[in-house]
Amino acid sequence: MTEQTSSIRSQCPYCGVGCGLDLQPPAKKGAAVRRDAEGTPMWSARGDKLHPSSLGQVCIKGATVGETLARGRLDQPLSRNSLNENFEPISWDEALERITDQIQSSLKSKGPDSIAMYGSGQFHTEDYYIAQKLLKGAIGTNNFDANSRLCMSSAVAGYTRSLGSDGPPCCYEDLDHCTLAFLIGSNIAECHPVLFQRLLKRKKKHPNSVTIVVVDPRQTDTAKAADIHLAVAPGSDLALLHGIAHLVMRDNGQDSEFIDNCTDKYDSFFDVVARWTPRRVALYCGIPEKRLREVAQLFHHRERVLSLWSMGVNQRREGTAVVGGIINLHLLTGQIGREGSGPFSLTGQPNAMGGREAGGLSHLLPGYRQVTNAEHRTQIEHTWDIPKGNISPNPGLTAWEQVEAMERGELDLWWVAATNPLVSMPDLERVKAAVKRCPMVVVSEAYADTETSHYAHLLLPAAQWSEKAGTMTNSERRVTYCPAFRQPHRESRPDWQVFAEIGRRLGFEAQFSYESAAEVYAEFTAVTDKQLCDVSGLSHQLLAREGPQQWPFPQKSSPSQDSKRLYTNQRFQTANQRAQFCTDQPLGLAEPPCETYPLILTIGRYLGQWHTMTRTGKVKRLTTMHPEPLLEIHPKDADQFAVKHGELAAISSRRGQLTARVKVTEKIRRSTVFLPMHWGFTQAQACEVNALMHEQSCPISKQPELKASAVIVAPVMSVIKPIEQEGKRLQAVRRLIIPALR
Ligand SMILES: Nc1nc2c(c(=O)[nH]1)N[C@H]1C(S)=C(S)[C@@H](COP(=O)(O)OP(=O)(O)OC[C@H]3O[C@@H](n4cnc5c(=O)[nH]c(N)nc54)[C@H](O)[C@@H]3O)O[C@H]1N2
Ligand SMILES: Nc1nc2c(c(=O)[nH]1)N[C@H]1C(S)=C(S)[C@@H](COP(=O)(O)OP(=O)(O)OC[C@H]3O[C@@H](n4cnc5c(=O)[nH]c(N)nc54)[C@H](O)[C@@H]3O)O[C@H]1N2
Ligand code: SF4
Ligand SMILES: [Mo]
């Protein structure tokens, strides 16, 4: 393609709000060419006023995306035989032949389950669709999983258990109509900023129109805007939700008609909740009973309750149960499928939603189908024109199970694409040891020198967003067409094209011959026909012409149709169309605090950084905003553990230790400490937080508890330099850690 010279519209490639961007080419008639820090002509971004999800708004990450696109990229395929050697350039043809040979020999010697791919919510839907078709259809293993396993899988499992299917029922407009916004385990001020601004604007204009409740162990910027902040103990949310239900029932606030007509298992739910009396809940969660009662009153009396959640809920070993606890409250009060109300998961990545639709987890097939369902497998085998029985009936390895399989020496080929697991997976030392056992690790990456590249044998340069056409679905089920408007960097190629080429080389010529991403999308949309996530009426052409559309969007739909909310008829996706109450008992944390590790470390995000910093780490404005990771600790804990504001502390868990600078703050509850996730081992300010975290996960969603592990904090003996000069010194300083308490 040639570089576009006029402005174009696309979806922001960062968070799941999925804002519309209006992108301007480097040079406009008569104006100077804009350049990035390396002097490369640079596109600039502003909010797209016509995008219905964001109405012209953007945050600082979206606004600076143009600065990240060309810098520090991976130029060409690189290869080496062992991790001790340096990489050598290799042609695409040789690289693809190497992968094909490995697949064929593994198929012969160990079978299809010795091959696995780990993809990403930052794929376009087209990349996702071809990736899982390659693994599940051509290779014959369901070992395709994505980083959504670390992110949204508890929401997926929770919706499915309660409502019969995945699919967030709400839309952003509900933020303008709700009278109670109940935010639990979500820091939208930093992580979904455009939605936060929308809510805040309304609150400022009509302070009495909406009450905001925030449940978070930290007083985040989100919590600062709340009418009530419940600073719960980490891992106590399910008891809190049961406690709210208990009080609503005690006051006769349940919607009996809705419960009778539209739900099952209310009696068992009643039995579980009956035990969670207000005093017991207040003690368990570490909050004042009065506050709990106030929140229950709001749930009872407010007409339109909107619950919003993200990682504080999903990343828990009882994540699915907590999601069930949230949905329970909406079933109890009949608050679902109506304007301004419902349970609404905020998706993390820009296209994790599209991934779920395209079969992008190891238990899924396209169109919200399941690999364990024989009818679903037959339908997909028919579409793909592959022999009956080719798709395995067993769920494939999830993200962490892929690591365990490498540990046992069972994987021959691990293909990582559009994710950086050597930063983002739990228990990193274990991950490193496991990956070293895998004979062939392929990493498809847009940028050079990511942490995961250090563990690769083969590096494939990926054309990224802006360089390839595709679609993405945001948190409110809205699909946006993202056109290619820049030349792919050097030898980089779109991920889907690479996956399709492997499919053809494996002998599936007809199944993987596509002229364009539009053709891939057409095949995908057709298989969603009559499914809940029906997008069979969409195409690249329609989206480019009519703009972003929400699903369901069946064939012959009109772009002006109303797909704002699911379940408006109060019929659900279960076999008897009734929603199910969940009856789980709270379990608490997998690794509770103890005498040796008396504090709970929680990990989250900063407003100006994105995950492992491969993109946002290249923007000066953003790195200036957050020069280094800071350990947040309550003054009384700082005192007890003898660490001081501005100095370095050693943080240790059962799995490892690291150092970080201390920020003493009353904005975190006692016995909880916080670190950001962003700084991997290649960063000057390296802080490998996930070396401390454990892998214990929810048995239903298989999502690891990335939000909590037990740690101890101790001072570090060293000369403290000002932050700017510190740089790589942090690493040297590690050796000086005094692990014991003063
Ligand atoms: N700036 C920025 N924005 C992002 C991202 C980014 O990297 N940077 N990433 C995107 C992605 S993929 C995701 S998944 C989302 C994540 O979005 P969020 O989930 O909002 O972000 P986190 O900071 O991971 O965690 C949210 C909050 O959970 C709280 N928490 C910890 N433990 C508990 C608990 O036991 N109970 C409760 N109730 N709360 C708890 C933490 O204190 C934290 O404030 O953000 C998206 N947006
Ligand atoms: N302790 C703890 N751990 C966490 C979390 C937490 O809250 N706490 N959050 C978890 C969550 S929710 C998430 S989503 C993960 C995120 O963790 P990751 O997915 O590991 O983080 P990213 O930095 O977004 O990685 C995406 C990679 O894809 C590359 N890339 C960008 N575009 C393309 C493309 O088009 N093609 C290819 N092939 N590559 C591309 C980027 O350069 C980058 O290296 O972290 C998880 N880990
Ligand atoms: S809120 Fe999310 S989608 Fe919107 S501009 Fe910011 S990062 Fe992009
Ligand atoms: Mo995420």
Side-chain angles (χ1 to χ4, degrees), residues 122 147 150-151 311 315 349 417-421 424 444-447 450 462-465 468 495 603 605 610-615 677 690 693 706-707:
Q122 290 161 76
N147 59 1
L150 312 182
C151 182
M311 292 312 116
Q315 285 171 342
Q349 298 173 92
T419 177
N420 195 0
S424 52
S444 297
E445 237 311 326
Y447 292 89
T450 68
Q464 62 170 335
W465 173 90
K468 60 181 180 185
D495 295 302
I603 307 287
R605 291 157 166 83
W610 177 260
H611 295 162
T612 72
M613 300 172 71
T614 61
R615 291 183 277 170
M677 67 175 287
N690 278 351
M693 306 308 277
L706 286 161
K707 276 285 173 278

Side-chain angles (χ1 to χ4, degrees), residues 317 589-594 597 600 654 710:
R317 67 109 166 225
L589 298 176
E591 189 178 81
C594 60
Y597 298 104
I600 290 301
R654 286 181 176 81

Side-chain angles (χ1 to χ4, degrees), residues 80-94:
R80 60 181 171 182
N81 288 322
S82 82
L83 301 188
N84 309 323
E85 295 167 30
N86 289 329
F87 282 109
E88 298 288 342
I90 177 179
S91 73
W92 266 107
D93 185 52
E94 287 170 297

Side-chain angles (χ1 to χ4, degrees), residues 86-223:
N86 289 329
F87 282 109
E88 298 288 342
I90 177 179
S91 73
W92 266 107
D93 185 52
E94 287 170 297
L96 295 170
E97 209 43 44
R98 219 182 133 185
I99 298 174
T100 314
D101 287 348
Q102 179 68 59
I103 294 174
Q104 274 161 344
S105 78
S106 295
L107 283 174
K108 271 193 211 117
S109 59
K110 284 195 186 160
D113 291 337
S114 61
I115 297 154
M117 187 185 276
Y118 183 45
S120 165
Q122 290 161 76
F123 274 162
H124 286 166
T125 300
E126 293 74 4
D127 301 316
Y128 254 121
Y129 181 74
I130 300 299
Q132 58 85 44
K133 183 176 177 180
L134 173 68
L135 274 281
K136 294 171 184 173
I139 299 176
T141 175
N142 290 326
N143 292 348
F144 175 85
D145 212 45
N147 59 1
S148 292
R149 188 65 70 180
L150 312 182
C151 182
M152 297 313 293
S153 63
S154 295
V156 173
Y159 281 132
T160 307
R161 218 161 56 125
S162 300
L163 308 177
S165 171
D166 186 15
C170 308
C171 61
Y172 298 159
E173 236 183 77
D174 290 327
L175 288 165
D176 308 332
H177 299 295
C178 64
T179 50
L180 169 62
F182 180 69
L183 289 137
I184 176 163
S186 189
N187 181 10
I188 58 167
E190 299 202 63
C191 295
H192 297 94
V194 164
L195 295 185
F196 180 64
Q197 291 306 330
R198 185 164 179 167
L199 185 62
L200 210 60
K201 201 165 139 199
R202 173 172 169 218
K203 178 82 184 168
K204 279 199 180 132
K205 220 165 159 193
H206 309 286
N208 298 324
S209 69
V210 57
T211 304
I212 302 176
V213 173
V214 170
V215 184
D216 194 307
R218 300 188 300 140
Q219 197 205 11
T220 56
D221 285 351
T222 313

Side-chain angles (χ1 to χ4, degrees), residues 485-706:
F485 55 93
R486 296 172 56 252
Q487 297 270 21
H489 178 79
R490 301 279 173 88
E491 292 187 26
S492 67
R493 294 185 182 176
D495 295 302
W496 72 263
Q497 283 184 12
V498 177
F499 306 148
E501 174 67 27
I502 296 290
R504 290 194 295 272
R505 288 182 185 219
L506 289 172
F508 294 86
E509 188 64 39
Q511 286 84 349
F512 289 93
S513 294
Y514 302 97
E515 294 284 315
S516 64
E519 215 178 281
V520 176
Y521 193 61
E523 181 180 311
F524 159 66
T525 57
V527 298
T528 64
D529 185 27
K530 303 204 174 52
Q531 298 296 112
L532 182 69
C533 59
D534 193 336
V535 286
S536 58
L538 292 181
S539 63
H540 280 195
Q541 293 82 340
L542 183 139
L543 289 165
R545 192 180 64 234
E546 305 289 344
Q549 303 294 327
Q550 269 177 305
W551 65 250
F553 197 98
Q555 286 171 57
K556 304 200 178 74
S557 301
S558 129
S560 57
Q561 59 144 18
D562 180 3
S563 293
K564 283 181 188 159
R565 296 175 190 89
L566 302 179
Y567 310 124
T568 47
N569 62 359
Q570 305 189 332
R571 296 285 123 214
F572 298 92
Q573 291 292 110
T574 50
N576 65 4
Q577 298 194 319
R578 297 165 77 90
Q580 308 287 308
F581 278 98
C582 294
T583 56
D584 308 277
Q585 285 291 356
L587 296 172
L589 298 176
E591 189 178 81
C594 60
E595 266 188 37
T596 321
Y597 298 104
L599 301 168
I600 290 301
L601 169 67
T602 188
I603 307 287
R605 291 157 166 83
Y606 285 161
L607 171 67
Q609 285 303 337
W610 177 260
H611 295 162
T612 72
M613 300 172 71
T614 61
R615 291 183 277 170
T616 47
K618 297 184 169 69
V619 181
K620 183 108 197 292
R621 249 198 290 172
L622 301 181
T623 47
T624 314
M625 237 169 120
H626 312 288
E628 65 174 337
L630 294 172
L631 176 82
E632 292 175 27
I633 184 166
H634 190 275
K636 288 193 174 137
D637 290 329
D639 205 36
Q640 185 180 344
F641 295 96
V643 295
K644 294 211 175 71
H645 188 78
E647 294 188 359
L648 292 177
I651 306 113
S652 325
S653 79
R654 286 181 176 81
R655 291 153 294 277
Q657 67 178 17
L658 51 79
T659 57
R661 195 176 303 281
V662 173
K663 177 179 172 184
V664 176
T665 168
E666 290 195 341
K667 290 181 184 163
I668 189 159
R669 62 171 282 126
R670 277 210 72 181
S671 306
T672 305
V673 292
F674 173 87
L675 275 170
M677 67 175 287
H678 308 294
W679 281 261
F681 67 76
T682 64
Q683 303 290 333
Q685 311 284 355
C687 181
E688 278 192 279
V689 291
N690 278 351
L692 304 184
M693 306 308 277
H694 65 75
E695 86 305 346
Q696 296 294 309
S697 58
C698 169
I700 305 170
S701 68
K702 307 277 179 78
Q703 177 159 356
E705 188 156 85
L706 286 161

Side-chain angles (χ1 to χ4, degrees), residues 237-260:
D237 302 76
L238 186 55
L240 175 80
L241 296 163
H242 284 350
I244 296 171
H246 179 108
L247 282 163
V248 170
M249 286 171 175
R250 212 189 245 189
D251 284 353
N252 241 341
Q254 68 273 32
D255 182 340
S256 301
E257 201 184 321
F258 178 84
I259 293 168
D260 285 349

